[in-house]
Short mmCIF file of all heavy atoms in Angstrom, two decimals:
data_model
loop_
_atom_site.label_atom_id
_atom_site.label_comp_id
_atom_site.label_asym_id
_atom_site.label_seq_id
_atom_site.Cartn_x
_atom_site.Cartn_y
_atom_site.Cartn_z
N GLN A 12 137.67 36.91 -131.92
CA GLN A 12 137.46 35.55 -131.42
C GLN A 12 137.06 34.67 -132.72
O GLN A 12 137.28 33.47 -132.84
CB GLN A 12 136.47 35.34 -130.39
CG GLN A 12 136.80 35.95 -129.09
CD GLN A 12 135.76 35.87 -128.01
OE1 GLN A 12 134.58 35.83 -128.33
NE2 GLN A 12 136.18 35.87 -126.82
N THR A 13 136.41 35.27 -133.70
CA THR A 13 135.80 34.46 -134.90
C THR A 13 136.35 34.85 -136.22
O THR A 13 136.41 34.01 -137.06
CB THR A 13 134.23 34.60 -134.77
OG1 THR A 13 133.88 36.03 -134.99
CG2 THR A 13 133.81 34.04 -133.51
N ASP A 14 136.69 36.05 -136.45
CA ASP A 14 136.96 36.55 -137.79
C ASP A 14 138.55 36.55 -138.10
O ASP A 14 139.18 37.35 -137.50
CB ASP A 14 136.39 37.89 -138.03
CG ASP A 14 136.61 38.53 -139.39
OD1 ASP A 14 136.87 37.67 -140.28
OD2 ASP A 14 136.28 39.73 -139.59
N PRO A 15 138.99 35.78 -138.96
CA PRO A 15 140.42 35.64 -139.24
C PRO A 15 140.91 37.04 -139.81
O PRO A 15 142.07 37.43 -139.43
CB PRO A 15 140.57 34.57 -140.32
CG PRO A 15 139.36 33.83 -140.17
CD PRO A 15 138.27 34.68 -139.78
N LYS A 16 140.14 37.74 -140.47
CA LYS A 16 140.55 39.07 -141.04
C LYS A 16 140.74 40.08 -139.89
O LYS A 16 141.70 40.82 -139.96
CB LYS A 16 139.57 39.62 -142.11
CG LYS A 16 139.64 38.83 -143.37
CD LYS A 16 138.68 39.43 -144.38
CE LYS A 16 138.63 38.58 -145.63
NZ LYS A 16 137.86 39.14 -146.68
N ALA A 17 139.88 40.05 -138.97
CA ALA A 17 140.04 41.04 -137.75
C ALA A 17 141.33 40.61 -136.95
O ALA A 17 141.98 41.46 -136.61
CB ALA A 17 138.85 40.91 -136.94
N ILE A 18 141.55 39.36 -136.85
CA ILE A 18 142.79 39.00 -136.06
C ILE A 18 144.03 39.39 -136.83
O ILE A 18 144.93 39.82 -136.35
CB ILE A 18 142.68 37.43 -135.94
CG1 ILE A 18 141.53 36.98 -135.01
CG2 ILE A 18 144.09 36.87 -135.38
CD1 ILE A 18 141.34 35.45 -134.99
N GLU A 19 143.99 39.16 -138.17
CA GLU A 19 145.12 39.66 -138.97
C GLU A 19 145.32 41.08 -138.91
O GLU A 19 146.39 41.55 -138.75
CB GLU A 19 144.92 39.21 -140.44
CG GLU A 19 146.07 39.72 -141.34
CD GLU A 19 145.82 39.27 -142.75
OE1 GLU A 19 144.82 38.73 -143.10
OE2 GLU A 19 146.61 39.89 -143.71
N LYS A 20 144.31 41.87 -138.94
CA LYS A 20 144.33 43.28 -138.95
C LYS A 20 145.02 43.70 -137.52
O LYS A 20 145.75 44.66 -137.49
CB LYS A 20 142.92 43.95 -139.06
CG LYS A 20 142.96 45.44 -139.05
CD LYS A 20 141.48 45.99 -139.15
CE LYS A 20 141.47 47.44 -139.17
NZ LYS A 20 141.35 48.06 -137.91
N GLU A 21 144.42 43.12 -136.43
CA GLU A 21 145.01 43.51 -135.09
C GLU A 21 146.47 43.18 -135.05
O GLU A 21 147.29 43.92 -134.36
CB GLU A 21 144.19 42.77 -134.06
CG GLU A 21 144.22 43.38 -132.75
CD GLU A 21 143.60 44.75 -132.65
OE1 GLU A 21 142.65 45.18 -133.28
OE2 GLU A 21 144.02 45.49 -131.77
N ALA A 22 146.85 42.02 -135.52
CA ALA A 22 148.21 41.62 -135.41
C ALA A 22 149.13 42.52 -136.23
O ALA A 22 150.25 42.84 -135.82
CB ALA A 22 148.44 40.13 -135.98
N ARG A 23 148.68 42.92 -137.33
CA ARG A 23 149.45 43.86 -138.22
C ARG A 23 149.57 45.20 -137.60
O ARG A 23 150.70 45.90 -137.65
CB ARG A 23 148.68 43.86 -139.61
CG ARG A 23 148.99 42.75 -140.51
CD ARG A 23 147.97 42.53 -141.60
NE ARG A 23 148.22 42.87 -142.92
CZ ARG A 23 149.30 43.04 -143.66
NH1 ARG A 23 150.44 42.88 -143.10
NH2 ARG A 23 149.34 43.35 -144.99
N GLU A 24 148.58 45.65 -136.94
CA GLU A 24 148.71 46.97 -136.24
C GLU A 24 149.45 47.01 -135.12
O GLU A 24 150.33 47.78 -134.82
CB GLU A 24 147.23 47.45 -136.07
CG GLU A 24 146.41 47.98 -137.33
CD GLU A 24 145.11 48.37 -136.97
OE1 GLU A 24 144.60 48.38 -135.79
OE2 GLU A 24 144.23 48.65 -137.98
N GLN A 25 149.05 46.06 -134.19
CA GLN A 25 149.84 46.01 -132.80
C GLN A 25 151.21 45.49 -132.82
O GLN A 25 152.08 46.11 -132.12
CB GLN A 25 148.98 45.41 -131.74
CG GLN A 25 147.67 46.24 -131.52
CD GLN A 25 146.91 45.70 -130.25
OE1 GLN A 25 147.47 44.95 -129.52
NE2 GLN A 25 145.90 46.25 -129.97
N LEU A 26 151.33 44.38 -133.54
CA LEU A 26 152.55 43.63 -133.51
C LEU A 26 153.49 43.90 -134.66
O LEU A 26 154.59 43.41 -134.80
CB LEU A 26 152.31 42.14 -133.52
CG LEU A 26 151.48 41.65 -132.23
CD1 LEU A 26 151.22 40.12 -132.49
CD2 LEU A 26 152.14 41.98 -130.94
N ARG A 27 152.95 44.73 -135.52
CA ARG A 27 153.62 45.22 -136.74
C ARG A 27 154.13 44.08 -137.69
O ARG A 27 155.30 43.96 -138.13
CB ARG A 27 154.77 46.08 -136.50
CG ARG A 27 154.37 47.40 -135.77
CD ARG A 27 155.57 48.31 -135.54
NE ARG A 27 155.08 49.56 -134.87
CZ ARG A 27 155.38 50.05 -133.63
NH1 ARG A 27 156.13 49.18 -132.92
NH2 ARG A 27 154.82 51.07 -133.18
N TYR A 28 153.26 43.06 -137.76
CA TYR A 28 153.52 41.90 -138.67
C TYR A 28 153.29 42.44 -140.05
O TYR A 28 152.54 43.31 -140.47
CB TYR A 28 152.53 40.81 -138.40
CG TYR A 28 152.82 39.94 -137.10
CD1 TYR A 28 154.06 40.27 -136.30
CD2 TYR A 28 152.14 38.86 -136.86
CE1 TYR A 28 154.27 39.53 -135.25
CE2 TYR A 28 152.44 38.00 -135.84
CZ TYR A 28 153.53 38.47 -134.95
OH TYR A 28 153.77 37.76 -133.81
N ALA A 29 154.06 41.77 -140.94
CA ALA A 29 153.98 42.13 -142.43
C ALA A 29 154.06 40.89 -143.27
O ALA A 29 154.56 39.81 -142.84
CB ALA A 29 155.15 43.00 -142.84
N LYS A 30 153.41 40.83 -144.28
CA LYS A 30 153.39 39.85 -145.34
C LYS A 30 154.74 39.77 -145.96
O LYS A 30 155.39 40.88 -146.08
CB LYS A 30 152.14 39.90 -146.35
CG LYS A 30 150.90 39.64 -145.65
CD LYS A 30 149.81 39.77 -146.82
CE LYS A 30 148.51 39.61 -146.10
NZ LYS A 30 147.34 39.70 -147.12
N PRO A 31 155.18 38.71 -146.47
CA PRO A 31 156.41 38.68 -147.29
C PRO A 31 156.42 39.75 -148.49
O PRO A 31 155.48 39.80 -149.16
CB PRO A 31 156.44 37.32 -147.85
CG PRO A 31 155.66 36.48 -146.98
CD PRO A 31 154.56 37.39 -146.48
N GLY A 32 157.43 40.64 -148.58
CA GLY A 32 157.54 41.55 -149.49
C GLY A 32 157.02 42.95 -149.15
O GLY A 32 157.09 43.96 -149.86
N GLU A 33 156.32 42.94 -147.91
CA GLU A 33 155.73 44.26 -147.44
C GLU A 33 156.88 45.07 -146.69
O GLU A 33 157.75 44.44 -146.08
CB GLU A 33 154.51 44.04 -146.63
CG GLU A 33 153.28 43.71 -147.31
CD GLU A 33 152.07 43.56 -146.44
OE1 GLU A 33 152.21 43.46 -145.29
OE2 GLU A 33 151.00 43.72 -147.04
N VAL A 34 156.65 46.34 -146.71
CA VAL A 34 157.46 47.19 -145.87
C VAL A 34 156.64 47.97 -144.94
O VAL A 34 155.55 48.65 -145.36
CB VAL A 34 158.37 48.10 -146.75
CG1 VAL A 34 159.17 49.03 -145.83
CG2 VAL A 34 159.16 47.32 -147.75
N ILE A 35 156.97 47.94 -143.66
CA ILE A 35 156.08 48.71 -142.71
C ILE A 35 156.82 50.11 -142.33
O ILE A 35 158.10 50.12 -142.07
CB ILE A 35 155.93 47.96 -141.46
CG1 ILE A 35 155.14 46.66 -141.74
CG2 ILE A 35 155.11 48.71 -140.34
CD1 ILE A 35 154.87 45.75 -140.56
N TYR A 36 156.09 51.09 -142.48
CA TYR A 36 156.60 52.47 -142.10
C TYR A 36 156.05 52.77 -140.80
O TYR A 36 154.81 52.74 -140.75
CB TYR A 36 156.22 53.54 -143.17
CG TYR A 36 157.05 53.25 -144.45
CD1 TYR A 36 156.47 52.61 -145.53
CD2 TYR A 36 158.35 53.68 -144.64
CE1 TYR A 36 157.03 52.43 -146.74
CE2 TYR A 36 159.02 53.41 -145.83
CZ TYR A 36 158.44 52.81 -146.89
OH TYR A 36 159.13 52.56 -148.01
N VAL A 37 156.71 53.18 -139.83
CA VAL A 37 156.07 53.61 -138.60
C VAL A 37 156.54 55.05 -138.35
O VAL A 37 157.75 55.50 -138.30
CB VAL A 37 156.75 52.72 -137.44
CG1 VAL A 37 156.21 53.26 -136.04
CG2 VAL A 37 156.53 51.29 -137.66
N ALA A 38 155.59 56.00 -138.04
CA ALA A 38 155.80 57.29 -137.72
C ALA A 38 156.18 57.36 -136.29
O ALA A 38 155.71 56.77 -135.43
CB ALA A 38 154.55 58.18 -138.07
N PRO A 39 157.14 58.37 -136.06
CA PRO A 39 157.59 58.53 -134.54
C PRO A 39 156.39 59.10 -133.86
O PRO A 39 155.70 59.84 -134.28
CB PRO A 39 158.76 59.57 -134.76
CG PRO A 39 158.58 60.26 -135.94
CD PRO A 39 157.90 59.23 -136.94
N GLU A 40 156.43 58.67 -132.62
CA GLU A 40 155.38 59.14 -131.59
C GLU A 40 155.72 60.60 -131.18
O GLU A 40 156.86 60.90 -130.95
CB GLU A 40 155.23 58.10 -130.46
CG GLU A 40 154.79 56.85 -130.76
CD GLU A 40 154.54 55.98 -129.57
OE1 GLU A 40 154.42 56.51 -128.45
OE2 GLU A 40 154.57 54.84 -129.71
N ARG A 41 154.63 61.43 -130.97
CA ARG A 41 154.93 62.62 -130.54
C ARG A 41 155.25 62.66 -128.96
O ARG A 41 154.83 61.72 -128.27
CB ARG A 41 153.68 63.39 -130.68
CG ARG A 41 153.21 63.70 -132.20
CD ARG A 41 152.18 64.62 -132.41
NE ARG A 41 151.00 64.58 -131.55
CZ ARG A 41 149.86 65.04 -131.75
NH1 ARG A 41 149.74 65.58 -132.87
NH2 ARG A 41 148.88 65.02 -130.81
N PRO A 42 156.14 63.61 -128.55
CA PRO A 42 156.45 63.72 -127.17
C PRO A 42 155.12 63.85 -126.36
O PRO A 42 154.17 64.42 -126.82
CB PRO A 42 157.38 64.91 -127.05
CG PRO A 42 157.90 65.10 -128.44
CD PRO A 42 156.77 64.56 -129.39
N GLN A 43 155.14 63.40 -125.10
CA GLN A 43 153.95 63.49 -124.18
C GLN A 43 153.45 65.00 -124.02
O GLN A 43 152.37 65.19 -124.05
CB GLN A 43 154.22 62.90 -122.83
CG GLN A 43 154.39 61.33 -122.94
CD GLN A 43 153.14 60.58 -123.35
OE1 GLN A 43 152.06 61.22 -123.06
NE2 GLN A 43 153.19 59.55 -123.96
N ALA A 44 154.40 65.92 -123.80
CA ALA A 44 154.03 67.22 -123.47
C ALA A 44 153.32 67.89 -124.79
O ALA A 44 152.33 68.56 -124.57
CB ALA A 44 155.22 68.16 -123.15
N GLU A 45 153.79 67.56 -125.98
CA GLU A 45 153.13 68.12 -127.12
C GLU A 45 151.86 67.43 -127.32
O GLU A 45 150.78 68.12 -127.81
CB GLU A 45 154.13 67.86 -128.35
CG GLU A 45 153.66 68.38 -129.64
CD GLU A 45 154.48 68.07 -130.79
OE1 GLU A 45 155.67 68.05 -130.68
OE2 GLU A 45 154.00 67.86 -131.91
N ALA A 46 151.81 66.18 -127.11
CA ALA A 46 150.49 65.45 -127.25
C ALA A 46 149.41 65.95 -126.36
O ALA A 46 148.32 65.99 -126.79
CB ALA A 46 150.62 63.95 -127.12
N LYS A 47 149.80 66.26 -125.11
CA LYS A 47 148.71 66.78 -124.13
C LYS A 47 148.24 68.19 -124.52
O LYS A 47 147.08 68.49 -124.42
CB LYS A 47 149.37 66.89 -122.71
CG LYS A 47 149.48 65.47 -122.18
CD LYS A 47 150.10 65.56 -120.71
CE LYS A 47 150.21 64.15 -120.19
NZ LYS A 47 150.92 64.24 -118.87
N SER A 48 149.28 69.03 -124.93
CA SER A 48 148.82 70.40 -125.33
C SER A 48 147.95 70.49 -126.65
O SER A 48 147.16 71.39 -126.72
CB SER A 48 150.08 71.30 -125.55
OG SER A 48 150.74 70.88 -126.71
N THR A 49 148.04 69.56 -127.53
CA THR A 49 147.16 69.54 -128.69
C THR A 49 145.75 68.89 -128.43
O THR A 49 144.88 69.26 -129.17
CB THR A 49 147.89 68.77 -129.88
OG1 THR A 49 148.07 67.39 -129.42
CG2 THR A 49 149.11 69.47 -130.30
N LYS A 50 145.73 68.11 -127.41
CA LYS A 50 144.41 67.64 -127.06
C LYS A 50 143.42 68.59 -126.39
O LYS A 50 142.23 68.50 -126.45
CB LYS A 50 144.50 66.40 -126.14
CG LYS A 50 145.13 65.23 -126.78
CD LYS A 50 145.14 64.02 -125.87
CE LYS A 50 145.71 62.79 -126.59
NZ LYS A 50 145.87 61.67 -125.61
N LYS A 51 143.92 69.58 -125.90
CA LYS A 51 143.13 70.61 -125.05
C LYS A 51 142.42 71.39 -126.05
O LYS A 51 141.96 71.81 -126.88
CB LYS A 51 143.96 71.39 -124.11
CG LYS A 51 144.44 70.68 -122.96
CD LYS A 51 145.24 71.46 -122.12
CE LYS A 51 145.78 70.74 -120.88
NZ LYS A 51 146.58 71.51 -119.94
#
C-alpha cells in the first residue's frame, strides 16, 4: 500500500512486467503429480 519498490517487485513477479531492455526467463512449472511426490 505504501512502498513503490514493493509494488514494483510484486508486479514484476506476478505479472511478469519488465523494464525496457530486460528479458524475462520463465522456468516451466512441474507437473502436479511430481510436485506432490517431492513435497512428502
Side-chain angles (χ1 to χ4, degrees):
Q12 290 173 342
T13 58
D14 186 13
K16 289 183 180 181
I18 296 169
E19 178 185 353
K20 179 180 181 272
E21 198 70 25
R23 286 158 101 21
E24 288 177 1
Q25 289 192 9
L26 303 175
R27 297 185 177 116
Y28 282 3
K30 291 182 180 179
E33 287 184 336
V34 177
I35 297 178
Y36 294 98
V37 179
E40 293 185 19
R41 296 191 319 203
Q43 291 294 331
E45 183 182 323
K47 288 180 183 178
S48 65
T49 58
K50 287 183 181 179
K51 291 181 182 178

